[in-house]
Amino acid sequence: MPPKQPPRRQSINAGRGTRKRDEDSGTEVGEGADEWAQSKATVRPPDQLELTDAELKEEFTRILTANNPHAPQNIVRYSFKEGTYKLIGFVDQLAVHFSQVGNLIPKDSDEGRRQHYRDKLVAGSQESAKVVLSEAEILEEEEESKEAEAEAGSQTDVPAAEAAEKVTQEELMTPKQPKERKLTNQFNFSERASQTFNNPLRDRECQMEPPPRTNFSATANQWEIYDAYVEELEKQEKTKEKEKTKTPVAKKMGKMAMRKMTSMESQSDDITKVTQAAKIVERMVNQNTYDDIAQDFKYYEDAADEYRDQEGTLLPLWKFQNDKAKRLAVTALCWNPKYNDLFAVGHGSYDFMKQSRGMLLLYSMKNPSFPEYIFSSESGIMCLDMHVDHPYLVVVGHYDGNVAIYNLKKPHSQPSFRSSAKSGKHTDPVWQVKWQKDDMDNNLNFFSVSSDGRIVSWTLVKSELVHTDVIKLKVEGSTMEGVEGLQLHTVGCGTAFDFHKEIDYMFLVGTEEGKIYKCSKSYSSQFLDTYDAHNMAVDAVSWNPYHTKVFMSCSSDWTVKIWDHTIKTPMFIYDLNSGVGDVAWAPYSSTVFAAVTTNGKAHVFDLSINKYEAICNQPVVAKKKNKITHVQFNPIYPIIIVGDNRGHVTCLKLSPNLRKMPKEKKGQEVQKGPAVEIAKLDKLLNLVREVKTKI
Amino acid sequence: MAEVEETLKRIQSHKGVIGTMVVNAEGIPIRTTLDNSTTVQYAGLLHQLTMKARSTVRDIDPQNDLTFLRIRSKKHEIMVAPDKEYLLIVIQNPCE
């Protein structure tokens, strides 16, 4: 405490009885010091504390301890053992006032030893350096003496050599120097700077037009990923196909086609791509307009039928007509076997005097205002048929005797194949055509019957129609002796035919004379059987879809007759008070059929309910002069289409009574199926037969 | 090509149809029988709605796709038939 004591002594000297508690130290001055300083005069400072004598005499004890006054006195530490804060008894009292790191190293430590060793080395090298220096000096002296002797020419070399030696000496010296002085530069470093002219800088820039930019954004949905995969698959398949059909010619053709395609696409208006959507929208619009009819078609069941006691009605639904076919009569109707809402209508004229063009229209029930397909021909169409396996092929027979096949898949309105005078067309109107099963070479073939008395089988061989006469209808017993002894046969005029559903080769032909011939495809000259059916031309013949023996015929002589082909006389005869245009069996029952007459009425019969009368007898067309020409049942839905000679086609729904199934007896399951139908009809026939045999 | 034109004409002249329009994939009308402002409005709004509807259908089953969209309101019915690149919109008043 030497630096502090003198000022303290001074203060004590300055005033008697003054005690200032020095907060910094705990040391005290004993009372002896007071006595010692009493001899001097005291000067009172003005701000001295005023104390009484008693207070002045008060003794204050001061204790000299070794405690650090700055050390904390009550440190507590958390004891994990006991879980509480505990007072630490002993606190470190050491106070450090000053500290300095010294540079004395003990001799025996690592660093000390290292330094000692280094010192040794330095001493050694210094000695050797001294030796070298002395040697160098000797050398220099020698060289200098040599100089004096050498010629002037070599003088320059020597100083260079000297300089080199000096350099080497210096170099020798310098590696030792770092041992003594660590901080010196290791290289003989001399800085030499020079500045060249700075080339003037010039900016040269070039700017192009920025590339066009577009924003691209897309979402990666599950279906987008799916689409991408599907596209990939298609591409792969296409490449596979291309590989299979590789020929250089084909490639060229392919390229040409591609070029044409692309040019066409770029030329054509964008509008064409909306075709599909436009079709759908048209149907939607029609559905809205004819909404009630569509609902009726689907859901309406005439409740009044319950009260009508077995009679039924026909509910008119849509009416199909087209301006272009306005004056043409409906000459043929056919439902498409694949698409249940599509049907074909053939237009032509039955009038011998007024023959004009013909039309083939295909309507869908989903769009009653406009046909799906339109084909026109020069001659009236008299009959048509759709192929079962290829529902896009439609064969038509014309008034001029030609037959033609239309392919619905192809967009042009001309028939794909056509017969001509050379290829054996008929000489009279073709009254009926029917597709047959593909022959053994998988060629399409069909039959046609005409008033010229020929039944011809046409085969489509390599896109040409080849004909073969199957049979010639001869009127029996009418061979006459003509001029020069020729035997003239009067040819019968076929007006209708139908093929048996199961027995392939057997078919029926109806003629203008009113006879029905049962023929076989294999016998070309003889008929299997003849039926004297009607007094006037037979308009239609039709086999029963279920019963293999039963067929039906109708004629302009006002009658409809039902036959068993084994029996020469008809089973049932119905007189309808007007020429019957067409008859058709119902596809859902063996006992139901419909007939249409020229007085505009439609008759529906159900033999299982009423054998003698129609269960529905309803005028279908508006004006009385309108003759109904054809009728067809829809294979799936309970509707029929009826065509008249004004060119209109009306669609009618059959009421429930007309579609009656036999009542199920309690406890028994209702049996459905062809067998049941056959049995039903059989029962009826047996009854009739019994009656006949009895008679 | 003429077939489509005819079909569109027929639709326009059908009973109760107020207007038809063809909109391309970006929502820009190509053909219309209504005035410009109405067309632009219909095109923009219906395009978005059709995209949303189509996305919904396809998200549920990616093999499925939207055939058409019908919005029946008090005053009329809006029918939208989407195609690969185009949208055909017809507004009809069915109860006339």
Side-chain angles (χ1 to χ4, degrees):
Chain A
M1 300 293 287
K4 284 196 181 168
Q5 278 180 9
R8 290 239 0 264
R9 278 195 195 134
Q10 278 173 18
S11 66
I12 289 162
N13 291 335
R16 208 193 230 190
T18 58
R19 297 203 199 283
K20 284 186 187 165
R21 270 211 189 126
D22 201 341
E23 292 168 7
D24 284 335
S25 89
T27 55
E28 290 175 25
V29 182
E31 286 172 26
D34 256 25
E35 292 173 332
W36 179 73
Q38 261 174 16
S39 56
K40 294 208 179 156
T42 56
V43 178
R44 274 196 163 200
D47 56 350
Q48 194 184 60
L49 197 63
E50 300 270 343
L51 293 168
T52 60
D53 282 345
E55 282 177 339
L56 283 171
K57 286 181 184 168
E58 209 183 321
E59 282 191 5
F60 294 94
T61 49
R62 285 188 161 200
I63 312 166
L64 188 67
T65 58
N67 283 342
N68 182 358
H70 292 291
Q73 288 157 341
N74 54 354
I75 294 182
V76 282
R77 290 259 185 270
Y78 187 76
S79 160
F80 285 95
K81 189 174 156 191
E82 288 159 36
T84 53
Y85 285 96
K86 268 183 70 179
L87 202 65
I88 292 179
F90 176 73
V91 178
D92 197 9
Q93 301 291 328
L94 183 69
V96 176
H97 294 279
F98 177 74
S99 70
Q100 186 189 17
V101 178
N103 53 7
L104 297 171
I105 310 166
K107 259 192 201 173
D108 295 331
S109 75
D110 287 335
E111 186 59 34
R113 271 189 236 133
R114 249 183 263 144
Q115 286 194 7
H116 193 65
Y117 178 68
R118 227 177 286 148
D119 288 341
K120 271 193 190 168
L121 279 176
V122 170
S125 64
Q126 274 184 348
E127 287 173 8
S128 60
K130 284 179 191 166
V131 172
V132 169
L133 272 167
S134 58
E135 283 181 1
E137 284 168 5
I138 296 164
L139 278 170
E140 276 182 14
E141 286 170 7
E142 284 181 4
E143 281 173 359
E144 280 171 4
S145 59
K146 275 186 191 170
E147 256 187 51
E149 293 173 1
E151 289 176 28
S154 60
Q155 270 183 0
T156 48
D157 290 339
V158 176
E162 272 186 73
E165 275 196 344
K166 277 186 187 167
V167 169
T168 50
Q169 284 167 22
E170 283 170 0
E171 281 179 8
L172 281 169
M173 285 296 288
T174 46
K176 291 151 199 167
Q177 278 175 2
K179 291 175 190 172
E180 295 173 345
R181 289 178 281 156
K182 288 181 211 169
L183 300 170
T184 50
N185 202 331
Q186 288 199 18
F187 305 103
N188 188 15
F189 186 69
S190 66
E191 199 169 312
R192 251 185 127 180
S194 69
Q195 185 158 17
T196 55
F197 283 115
N198 282 336
N199 286 328
L201 292 175
R202 189 183 281 178
D203 270 332
R204 214 170 184 188
E205 288 174 12
C206 172
Q207 189 169 23
M208 306 175 302
E209 260 189 49
R213 289 184 189 184
T214 47
N215 273 336
F216 176 78
S217 64
T219 46
N221 283 329
Q222 195 183 2
W223 51 270
E224 296 215 358
I225 298 168
Y226 173 81
D227 274 346
Y229 272 114
V230 166
E231 256 187 62
E232 259 308 303
L233 258 175
E234 280 175 15
K235 271 186 197 171
Q236 278 180 11
E237 276 171 26
K238 268 187 189 171
T239 49
K240 272 187 198 168
E241 281 179 25
K242 276 183 186 171
E243 278 169 28
K244 280 183 191 170
T245 60
K246 244 186 186 176
T247 50
V249 178
K251 265 188 186 172
K252 272 188 191 171
M253 288 292 291
K255 278 184 191 168
M256 288 288 286
M258 280 293 286
R259 264 183 247 149
K260 273 187 185 170
M261 275 283 286
T262 46
S263 61
M264 275 290 287
E265 281 176 17
S266 58
Q267 280 171 16
S268 68
D269 202 357
D270 296 328
I271 274 291
T272 45
K273 294 178 190 167
V274 203
T275 2
Q276 194 62 23
K279 255 194 179 169
I280 295 174
V281 169
E282 199 186 350
R283 288 188 180 182
M284 283 203 278
V285 165
N286 272 303
Q287 190 185 17
N288 275 340
T289 323
Y290 299 112
D291 185 42
D292 43 355
I293 298 177
Q295 301 276 352
D296 279 347
F297 157 70
K298 261 278 172 170
Y299 304 116
Y300 180 74
E301 303 290 352
D302 200 346
D305 263 10
E306 289 176 36
Y307 309 109
R308 249 184 247 143
D309 188 40
Q310 291 181 348
E311 278 184 4
T313 50
L314 296 167
L315 178 72
L317 295 173
W318 299 287
K319 207 170 189 186
F320 301 88
Q321 61 201 33
N322 189 286
D323 281 340
K324 289 182 189 170
K326 225 178 186 175
R327 263 164 258 134
L328 299 170
V330 171
T331 52
L333 289 172
C334 185
W335 286 98
N336 189 301
K338 189 171 176 198
Y339 298 105
N340 300 315
D341 60 295
L342 187 68
F343 62 91
V345 183
H347 289 276
S349 174
Y350 282 120
D351 201 338
F352 173 68
M353 300 302 287
K354 298 181 204 164
Q355 277 301 314
S356 60
R357 59 203 170 82
M359 296 206 67
L360 174 64
L361 303 172
L362 280 107
Y363 284 96
S364 162
M365 293 196 310
K366 296 175 186 170
N367 184 352
S369 54
F370 200 77
E372 303 287 313
Y373 300 95
I374 306 179
F375 301 98
S376 60
S377 63
E378 295 150 357
S379 168
I381 293 176
M382 302 312 291
C383 53
L384 65 91
D385 193 26
M386 287 195 184
H387 202 289
V388 175
D389 296 324
H390 308 280
Y392 50 89
L393 291 174
V394 181
V395 63
V396 297
H398 291 289
Y399 198 89
D400 61 358
N402 274 316
V403 290
I405 299 178
Y406 286 90
N407 189 336
L408 298 178
K409 280 189 181 176
K410 307 227 169 120
H412 15 256
S413 67
Q414 289 307 306
S416 317
F417 311 104
R418 231 174 159 241
S419 71
S420 61
K422 274 192 285 178
S423 63
K425 73 174 186 79
H426 291 280
T427 49
D428 260 349
V430 179
W431 289 103
Q432 194 130 24
V433 281
K434 270 249 156 73
W435 281 107
Q436 300 299 305
K437 289 189 195 149
D438 287 354
D439 65 3
M440 286 185 280
D441 297 326
N442 282 336
N443 291 323
L444 304 164
N445 74 333
F446 63 91
F447 274 61
S448 68
V449 67
S450 157
S451 308
D452 64 356
R454 286 162 56 213
I455 296 178
V456 179
S457 157
W458 302 83
T459 316
L460 195 67
V461 179
K462 287 185 189 171
S463 78
E464 260 189 36
L465 280 175
V466 176
H467 83 283
T468 28
D469 276 8
V470 173
I471 212 167
K472 256 210 166 107
L473 301 170
K474 278 175 280 176
V475 178
E476 283 178 25
S478 61
T479 48
M480 295 184 311
E481 284 270 340
V483 186
E484 290 170 5
L486 280 173
Q487 293 222 321
L488 290 172
H489 299 279
T490 322
V491 171
C493 310
T495 51
F497 70 174
D498 193 18
F499 287 83
H500 198 275
K501 304 276 184 290
E502 280 163 36
I503 307 171
D504 218 16
Y505 56 83
M506 192 159 77
F507 63 96
L508 297 164
V509 185
T511 61
E512 224 174 273
E513 296 82 41
K515 290 202 184 4
I516 296 180
Y517 301 112
K518 187 168 69 177
C519 317
S520 162
K521 284 187 200 175
S522 28
Y523 292 107
S524 62
S525 53
Q526 270 196 343
F527 309 124
L528 293 175
D529 214 343
T530 317
Y531 308 91
D532 284 324
H534 293 277
N535 301 319
M536 284 178 76
V538 176
D539 281 332
V541 280
S542 177
W543 286 100
N544 188 302
Y546 294 100
H547 204 287
T548 49
K549 285 190 182 178
V550 175
F551 70 90
M552 176 168 64
S553 69
C554 76
S555 156
S556 323
D557 67 356
W558 297 7
T559 56
V560 173
K561 296 188 182 176
I562 298 179
W563 310 75
D564 180 328
H565 75 97
T566 50
I567 302 175
K568 291 265 186 170
T569 50
M571 304 268 103
F572 297 97
I573 306 176
Y574 299 98
D575 192 325
L576 297 176
N577 277 330
S578 182
V580 184
D582 198 7
V583 276
W585 288 103
Y588 51 83
S589 166
S590 62
T591 52
V592 175
F593 64 91
V596 286
T597 58
T598 48
N599 62 356
K601 279 191 177 179
H603 308 258
V604 181
F605 291 81
D606 189 343
L607 298 174
S608 56
I609 294 175
N610 190 332
K611 281 194 295 230
Y612 306 106
E613 271 183 353
I615 51 172
C616 173
N617 195 328
Q618 187 175 323
V620 169
V621 275
K623 295 182 182 175
K624 282 218 166 166
K625 277 191 183 173
N626 212 340
K627 302 176 198 168
I628 308 182
T629 48
H630 281 279
V631 67
Q632 280 285 320
F633 278 85
N634 183 308
I636 310 275
Y637 302 114
I639 52 176
I640 56 172
I641 39 170
V642 170
D644 59 20
N645 71 348
R646 286 271 169 96
H648 305 296
V649 177
T650 316
C651 181
L652 302 142
K653 185 166 182 183
L654 301 161
S655 69
N657 267 347
L658 303 172
R659 306 180 251 137
K660 245 187 189 167
M661 293 293 138
K663 274 190 182 168
E664 51 276 22
K665 294 179 189 171
K666 283 186 186 175
Q668 265 188 357
E669 272 183 33
V670 178
Q671 286 168 332
K672 289 186 181 176
V676 178
E677 304 290 334
I678 296 172
K680 221 175 24 168
L681 195 54
D682 251 344
K683 225 172 44 171
L684 292 166
L685 292 173
N686 285 333
L687 285 172
V688 180
R689 272 184 227 135
E690 278 173 19
V691 169
K692 290 214 163 158
T693 50
K694 276 182 192 171
I695 290 172
Chain B
M1 188 181 146
E3 276 188 37
V4 188
E5 296 277 352
E6 269 192 44
T7 313
L8 289 174
K9 263 192 227 165
R10 278 204 308 274
I11 295 172
Q12 178 57 34
S13 55
H14 200 90
K15 193 176 95 167
V17 171
I18 300 170
T20 55
M21 59 190 95
V22 180
V23 176
N24 79 347
E26 290 156 24
I28 300 168
I30 296 175
R31 255 178 88 110
T32 175
T33 57
L34 301 168
D35 59 282
N36 201 24
S37 53
T38 324
T39 306
V40 168
Q41 199 181 23
Y42 267 104
L45 295 167
L46 286 170
H47 179 255
Q48 290 175 33
L49 184 62
T50 317
M51 288 299 123
K52 189 74 187 173
R54 188 187 232 166
S55 187
T56 312
V57 168
R58 295 210 76 188
D59 270 344
I60 294 169
D61 178 9
Q63 293 181 330
N64 206 351
D65 198 5
L66 182 68
T67 320
F68 59 79
L69 190 64
R70 272 183 142 149
I71 306 163
R72 201 164 205 161
S73 71
K74 278 189 205 166
K75 292 190 184 174
H76 41 241
E77 177 161 347
I78 304 169
M79 290 172 276
V80 181
D83 203 28
K84 254 200 159 176
E85 296 167 22
Y86 295 93
L87 211 62
L88 182 58
I89 303 169
V90 172
I91 307 155
Q92 188 192 20
N93 193 343
C95 328
E96 226 179 72

